[in-house]
């Protein structure tokens, strides 16, 4: 309410104020509102082409809808325009990775932790890239290094340690145990646990279970329950205060996207309708028909 009041006051003073227009647009969550947000942000950028918060927000909208290549130049522009903005930098880690530029993701992660050593989102992004690009031992070393890791809840750290160890071990029994433990944590965890569970389950080969988590997280249905709102005591991640879908389009979720169930989830979430209405095509479909 205070943010809205401030934005409306700014617009009363200057009807074209870009910051106020973006603030009002972002009252809507990205999930389910891709088209409305895109239209609002394009309107701001038509008047203020270099407005960095608008570039950032539109990059998030497009990444959330699987427009991997389209969002990438916008993300690069935000980092170039404001290189000391921690959020733009950590989002660039994922943007590089989405576009197959793992070395650039590594550099952005290393730079981020040099500038902001205890920035949780940067640390989580760097550990996640290690874990999900065949370097789980490095991710495990980050979790075990108490001197440099951020202050994350012990249950989250233990979950990460177990999952990364299973990825590093590679044994069927160890992976199966990690899958069971990940599912046990789902109902009591918050949004970060839901998203990380979907990613870890896919990486551990439990693609159907990963899809169950995605369905619970996005649509509140299916055999599982996933936390969708942050509660005190859980790890708070800025980009996860509302439902997010960027994680669906990371390279490690390729088998999830290729599964026949994924098209139904995209239809039921409304994302397929956004693709059709906007004329956008998500990169993962190539030339295949839209769902």
């Amino acid at each position: 309410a205070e943010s809205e009041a401030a934005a409306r006051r700014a617009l009363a003073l200057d009807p074209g104020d870009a910051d106020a227009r973006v603030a009002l647009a972002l009252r809507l969550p990205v999930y389910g509102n891709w088209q409305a947000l895109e239209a609002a942000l394009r309107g701001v950028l038509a008047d203020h082409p270099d407005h960095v918060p608008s570039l950032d927000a539109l990059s998030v909208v497009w990444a959330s809808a699987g427009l991997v290549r389209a969002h990438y130049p916008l993300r690069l522009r935000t980092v170039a325009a404001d290189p000391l903005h921690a959020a733009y930098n950590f989002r660039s880690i994922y943007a590089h990775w989405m576009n197959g530029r793992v070395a650039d993701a590594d550099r952005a992660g290393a730079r981020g932790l040099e500038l902001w050593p205890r920035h949780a989102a940067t640390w989580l992004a760097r550990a996640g890239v290690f874990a999900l690009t065949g370097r789980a031992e490095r991710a495990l070393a980050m979790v075990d290094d108490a001197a440099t890791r951020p202050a994350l809840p012990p249950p989250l750290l233990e979950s990460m340690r177990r999952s990364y160890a299973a990825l590093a071990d590679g044994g069927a029994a160890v992976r199966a145990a990690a899958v069971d433990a990940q599912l046990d944590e789902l109902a009591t965890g918050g949004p970060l646990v839901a998203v990380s569970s979907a990613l870890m389950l896919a990486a551990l080969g439990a693609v159907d279970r990963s899809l169950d988590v995605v369905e619970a997280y996005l649509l509140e249905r299916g055999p599982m329950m996933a936390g969708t709102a942050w509660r005190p005591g859980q790890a708070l991640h800025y980009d996860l205060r509302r439902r997010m879908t960027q994680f669906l389009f990371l390279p490690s979720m390729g088998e999830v996207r290729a599964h026949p169930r994924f098209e139904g989830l995209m239809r039921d979430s409304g994302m397929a309708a956004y693709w059709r209405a906007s004329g956008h095509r998500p990169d993962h479909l190539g030339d295949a028909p839209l769902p």
Side-chain angles (χ1 to χ4, degrees):
E2 291 177 2
S3 174
E4 181 177 352
R8 296 203 181 281
R9 170 66 174 158
L11 289 175
L13 296 169
D14 177 3
D17 185 88
D19 290 331
R21 291 167 66 186
V22 173
L24 289 177
L26 294 180
R27 292 175 302 165
L28 291 173
V30 174
Y31 179 71
N33 295 291
W34 302 281
Q35 192 166 0
L37 279 173
E38 178 180 340
L41 295 168
R42 280 183 177 276
V44 178
L45 288 167
D47 298 330
H48 307 275
D50 297 318
H51 187 243
V52 181
S54 296
L55 294 170
D56 170 56
L58 185 56
S59 178
V60 169
V61 171
W62 283 353
S64 299
L67 310 181
V68 172
R69 284 176 294 181
H71 101 283
Y72 192 43
L74 304 187
R75 177 54 58 213
L76 297 182
R77 285 176 65 187
T78 67
V79 176
D82 194 348
L84 296 181
H85 195 297
Y88 300 164
N89 183 80
F90 93 74
R91 291 178 191 138
S92 78
I93 299 171
Y94 294 109
H96 292 309
W97 182 24
M98 278 182 167
N99 282 274
R101 303 180 67 92
V102 176
D104 288 329
D106 288 345
R107 280 190 284 271
R111 175 180 179 273
L113 290 182
E114 182 178 356
L115 290 171
W116 309 282
R118 299 302 181 98
H119 189 258
T122 301
W123 187 92
L124 288 166
R126 184 153 170 75
V129 171
F130 279 153
L132 299 172
T133 56
R135 298 173 290 171
E137 295 88 352
R138 283 177 166 78
L140 193 58
M142 289 180 66
V143 172
D144 288 335
D145 188 356
T148 60
R149 71 183 183 223
L152 295 170
L156 176 62
L157 289 170
E158 184 54 36
S159 176
M160 296 173 70
R161 181 178 291 108
R162 181 176 54 249
S163 297
Y164 295 168
L167 289 174
D169 180 279
V174 174
R175 288 187 170 219
V179 166
D180 290 341
Q182 196 76 56
L183 295 174
D184 288 342
E185 297 165 354
L186 187 64
T188 56
L192 183 57
V193 171
V195 171
S196 63
S197 292
L199 290 167
M200 285 299 115
L201 290 167
L204 292 165
V207 174
D208 275 306
R209 300 289 77 77
S210 178
L211 282 158
D212 287 341
V213 174
V214 172
E215 185 171 18
Y217 177 63
L218 297 185
L219 298 171
E220 299 277 10
R221 72 183 193 198
M224 297 181 186
M225 294 185 67
T228 58
W230 179 81
R231 295 179 179 178
Q234 295 173 343
L236 179 58
H237 188 306
Y238 180 82
D239 283 355
L240 287 169
R241 294 185 186 191
R242 292 167 163 172
R243 283 183 178 87
M244 63 171 291
T245 51
Q246 295 98 310
F247 72 98
L248 297 173
F249 304 103
L250 291 171
S252 61
M253 294 290 276
E255 289 188 49
V256 170
R257 293 191 297 274
H259 196 285
R261 288 175 57 191
F262 188 73
E263 287 192 1
L265 296 178
M266 295 299 94
R267 286 193 298 269
D268 294 348
S269 68
M271 195 177 295
Y274 163 69
W275 294 333
R276 293 180 185 280
S278 65
H280 293 309
R281 291 188 57 82
D283 295 78
H284 76 277
L285 283 179
D287 295 327
L290 292 174

